[in-house]
């Protein structure tokens, strides 16, 4: 049965898309059949994974679609973001959530092993619908004061959603863009680990230019042939392995 993971945080610029894209590449290399849904109107995941896109767009997943084709290319099938995602707020949440849940069932029926969902940094109908349909959620976080303030908000959101979707599991928070030479980052990471010992993943991702280069080049960081990419590759691979194990993907 397909397992669905949402990457979410109500703060932008924290590494959500980088996390999702690298999970997609890693899982596909393992031989898994991966569906990726981009619910962020910025479309960054759609840009990096553009070669994998099919004919259906993300906003269509919230309607009365009962059947559609989704064929993977190199084990990845992308449902790209589109401008009509902005119109989802006009829908009743229950209507949007029901339509999206039905679309997830269609994707599962196509034989996909994993569905990865990128979300915009706001709790609108798109993120709420994704969380209501998902099995897991993970939240990249940046080690800055304004980002840390959003952790309590995100935890509250997940707790509220779990009242309606009891199967939803919070895999935890992924420290992202960590500068090991910055004493503020070191202090914030220690504070987070003390405050949320069970929720901070032991796989922080450093502030690495090679990751941005990889996203711009439509490839994972381990395909960037530079010495500077080696540390990033080690960190990202540790993160994807941790999430793979937590999701108990066969």
């Amino acid at each position: 049965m397909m397992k669905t993971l949402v990457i979410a945080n109500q703060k932008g610029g924290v590494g959500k898309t980088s996390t999702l894209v690298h999970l997609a590449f890693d899982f596909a290399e393992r031989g898994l059949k991966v569906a990726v849904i981009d619910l962020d109107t910025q479309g960054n995941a759609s840009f990096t994974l553009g070669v994998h896109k099919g004919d259906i767009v993300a906003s269509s997943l919230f309607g009365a679609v009962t059947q559609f084709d989704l064929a993977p290319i190199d084990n990845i099938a992308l449902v790209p973001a589109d401008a009509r995602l902005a119109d989802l707020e006009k829908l009743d949440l229950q209507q949007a959530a029901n339509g999206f849940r039905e679309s997830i069932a269609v994707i599962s029926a196509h034989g996909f092993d994993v569905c990865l969902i990128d979300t915009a940094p706001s709790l609108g109908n798109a993120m709420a619908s994704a969380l209501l349909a998902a099995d897991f959620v993970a939240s990249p976080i940046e080690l800055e004061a304004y980002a840390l303030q959003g952790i309590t908000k995100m935890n509250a959101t997940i707790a509220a959603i779990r009242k309606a979707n009891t199967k939803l599991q919070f895999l935890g928070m992924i420290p992202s863009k960590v500068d090991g030479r910055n004493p503020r980052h070191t202090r914030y990471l220690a504070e987070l680990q003390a405050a949320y010992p069970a929720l901070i993943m032991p796989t922080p991702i450093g502030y690495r230019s090679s990751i941005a280069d990889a996203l711009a080049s439509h490839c994972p960081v381990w395909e960037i042939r530079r010495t500077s990419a080696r540390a990033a590759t080690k960190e990202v691979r540790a993160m994807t392995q941790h999430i793979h194990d937590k999701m108990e993907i066969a």
Side-chain angles (χ1 to χ4, degrees), residues 5-242:
L5 168 66
V6 175
I7 303 299
N9 192 317
Q10 290 167 262
K11 171 71 180 64
V14 296
K16 293 190 303 296
T17 299
S18 173
T19 299
L20 175 132
V21 164
H22 280 97
L23 283 167
F25 283 129
D26 181 271
F27 287 0
E29 287 184 6
R30 296 171 188 261
L32 299 173
K33 192 175 177 182
V34 183
V36 175
I37 302 173
D38 188 357
L39 297 183
D40 188 347
T41 53
Q42 294 184 75
N44 292 334
S46 299
F47 169 79
T48 298
L49 298 174
V51 70
H52 302 277
K53 70 179 179 181
D55 296 330
I56 190 168
V57 294
S59 64
S60 301
L61 301 180
F62 296 84
V65 177
T66 57
Q67 196 58 252
F68 51 83
D69 292 326
L70 195 61
I73 299 172
D74 295 329
N75 282 344
I76 299 174
L78 169 69
V79 181
D82 65 292
R84 293 187 64 185
L85 283 170
D87 297 330
L88 290 182
E89 299 313 307
K90 300 175 183 178
L91 297 179
D92 173 75
L93 173 57
Q94 193 63 51
Q95 176 188 354
N98 287 343
F100 190 75
R101 192 180 292 112
E102 291 174 5
S103 293
I104 292 295
V106 172
I107 294 172
S108 179
H110 276 73
F112 284 88
D113 300 296
V114 184
C115 180
L116 304 174
I117 305 174
D118 201 9
T119 57
S122 60
L123 181 60
N125 281 348
M127 183 192 289
S129 296
L131 292 173
L132 286 167
D135 302 299
F136 305 95
V137 56
S139 297
I141 55 168
E142 193 175 7
L143 297 177
E144 298 293 350
Y146 54 80
L148 299 182
Q149 292 171 359
I151 292 176
T152 301
K153 186 176 182 181
M154 193 67 221
N155 284 341
T157 295
I158 294 170
I161 292 290
R162 288 186 68 185
K163 294 178 181 178
N165 178 14
T166 56
K167 69 177 181 177
L168 182 65
Q169 298 181 43
F170 187 22
L171 297 182
M173 296 172 281
I174 309 162
S176 183
K177 300 182 180 181
V178 180
D179 184 352
R181 299 167 298 179
N182 186 327
R184 185 176 69 255
H185 280 201
T186 302
R187 184 175 72 254
Y188 283 154
L189 182 56
E191 290 175 357
L192 276 175
Q193 290 169 333
Y196 304 97
L199 289 183
I200 302 300
M201 292 191 194
T203 55
I205 307 296
Y207 191 82
R208 312 285 187 188
S209 61
S210 54
I211 291 179
D213 291 342
L215 298 178
S217 301
H218 311 276
C219 69
V221 70
W222 47 87
E223 291 184 8
I224 298 295
R225 302 304 178 188
R226 290 202 307 272
T227 302
S228 60
R230 292 177 183 172
T233 295
K234 183 177 180 180
E235 293 167 351
V236 172
R237 288 288 201 185
M239 179 270 294
T240 57
Q241 183 66 54
H242 180 80

